[in-house]
């Protein structure tokens, strides 16, 4: 951006506001570029944080269901019903009362917070536990 | 509305300039509401996060564009826009 001079001002800028316009333009440009970068990296970052590509999107979805409702049997529906909730039918949590959250004017979520790629460990531990149970089952009929 | 206003603004029409200011105010309203929403009960919202409030501000601060664009648009020379 060139420094505005008296005889050569950008279109629409008056001499009175020349300096302020320069700084506002810089600020706006920084913000708009940052917003584009932020917007394009948010979802990839979340996907990697939750465990992609080790876990697929369906696995991540199901792991999150298990965590927030504190129930290992829950799975995400795929393919999803159409028109499914929220466009029709019972809500996702309808009939599920295993969640530990405290409800009220300000609900308090009581599910454990998910750390960086922690869902992979949770997923692997559950699979290992289930396999161990299956293997030990015939020994004790 | 904002897309239409932006196109008209680029075509240097007066109503495009005016509506860009109006939709910038929508952005201000949304920003203030969002800040309130995320600040009230922040202790609950950010339990267990790495950089609780600071990290959220870092993410949110770039949404202040309307605060910069409103003074800019108000000080643009209006004479050059066509009615």
């Amino acid at each position: 951006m060139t420094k505005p001079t008296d005889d050569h001002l950008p279109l629409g800028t008056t001499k009175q506001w020349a300096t302020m316009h320069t700084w506002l333009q810089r600020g706006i440009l920084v913000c708009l570029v940052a917003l584009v970068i932020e917007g394009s990296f948010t979802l990839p970052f979340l996907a990697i944080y939750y465990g992609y590509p080790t876990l697929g999107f369906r696995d991540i979805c199901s792991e999150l269901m298990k965590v927030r409702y504190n129930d290992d049997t829950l799975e995400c529906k795929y393919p999803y019903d159409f028109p499914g909730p929220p466009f029709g039918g019972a809500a996702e949590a309808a009939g599920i009362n295993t969640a530990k959250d405290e409800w009220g004017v300000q609900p308090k979520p009581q599910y454990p917070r998910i750390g960086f790629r922690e869902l992979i460990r949770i997923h692997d531990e559950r699979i290992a536990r289930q396999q161990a149970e299956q293997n030990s089952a015939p020994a004790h009929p | 509305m904002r897309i239409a206003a932006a196109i008209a603004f680029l075509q240097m029409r007066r109503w495009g300039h005016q509506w860009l200011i109006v939709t910038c105010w929508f952005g201000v309203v949304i920003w203030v509401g969002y800040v309130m929403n995320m600040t009230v009960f922040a202790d609950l919202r950010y339990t267990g996060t790495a950089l609780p409030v600071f990290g959220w501000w870092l993410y949110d601060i770039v949404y202040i564009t309307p605060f910069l664009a409103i003074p800019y648009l108000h000080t643009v020379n209006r004479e050059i826009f066509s009615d």
Side-chain angles (χ1 to χ4, degrees):
Chain A
M1 224 170 287
T2 51
K3 200 185 171 197
T5 53
D6 292 359
D7 48 320
H8 185 71
L9 289 167
L11 186 63
T13 300
T14 52
K15 190 184 162 192
Q16 194 184 1
W17 298 111
T19 314
M20 194 185 85
H21 270 191
T22 308
W23 281 102
L24 285 176
Q25 278 177 352
R26 285 174 190 166
I28 290 168
L29 202 66
V30 166
C31 285
L32 291 177
V33 170
L35 278 172
V36 169
I37 294 168
E38 183 177 299
S40 53
F41 281 106
T42 301
L43 278 176
F45 171 79
L46 280 176
I48 290 166
Y49 187 93
Y50 283 139
Y52 185 83
T54 312
L55 297 178
F57 290 121
R58 265 190 260 169
D59 293 323
I60 292 171
C61 179
S62 295
E63 290 304 321
L64 288 173
M65 284 283 278
K66 293 175 206 304
V67 169
R68 70 178 177 273
Y69 294 114
N70 192 37
D71 182 349
D72 278 355
T73 61
L74 293 176
E75 290 279 340
C76 280
K77 261 188 226 164
Y78 185 86
Y80 198 66
D81 302 334
F82 185 82
F87 301 111
E92 178 191 272
I96 303 177
N97 50 18
T98 48
K100 291 176 173 175
D101 308 336
E102 288 169 27
W103 292 98
V105 175
Q106 178 62 35
K108 293 187 179 71
Q110 297 293 340
Y111 47 77
R113 301 306 198 257
I114 302 298
F116 183 67
R117 292 179 83 76
E118 203 184 337
L119 285 180
I120 299 172
R121 183 177 59 77
I122 295 173
H123 174 264
D124 291 349
E125 280 177 3
R126 195 187 61 259
I127 299 293
R129 200 168 54 241
Q130 284 171 347
Q131 279 178 347
E133 279 168 15
Q134 270 185 348
N135 293 340
S136 62
H140 307 283
Chain B
M1 244 181 338
R2 193 161 166 84
I3 293 169
I7 293 169
F9 179 77
L10 290 175
Q11 292 172 347
M12 304 208 58
R13 302 193 189 202
R14 188 87 180 89
W15 66 268
H17 177 254
Q18 288 164 335
W19 273 96
L20 217 49
I21 293 173
V22 172
T23 52
C24 273
W25 277 106
F26 295 177
V28 170
V29 170
I30 291 165
W31 193 87
V32 170
Y34 189 57
V35 166
M36 264 188 67
N37 199 12
M38 297 304 257
T39 310
V40 175
F41 297 111
D43 53 335
L44 284 171
R45 288 178 181 277
Y46 300 116
T47 312
T49 47
L51 300 167
V53 174
F54 178 75
W56 173 73
W57 270 104
L58 198 69
Y59 191 88
D60 189 59
I61 197 66
V62 286
Y63 286 91
I64 60 166
T65 39
F67 294 88
L68 306 178
I70 288 168
Y72 182 84
L73 290 168
H74 273 293
T75 50
V76 154
N77 178 16
R78 288 155 210 227
E79 303 301 319
I80 61 173
F81 288 86
S82 59
D83 285 316

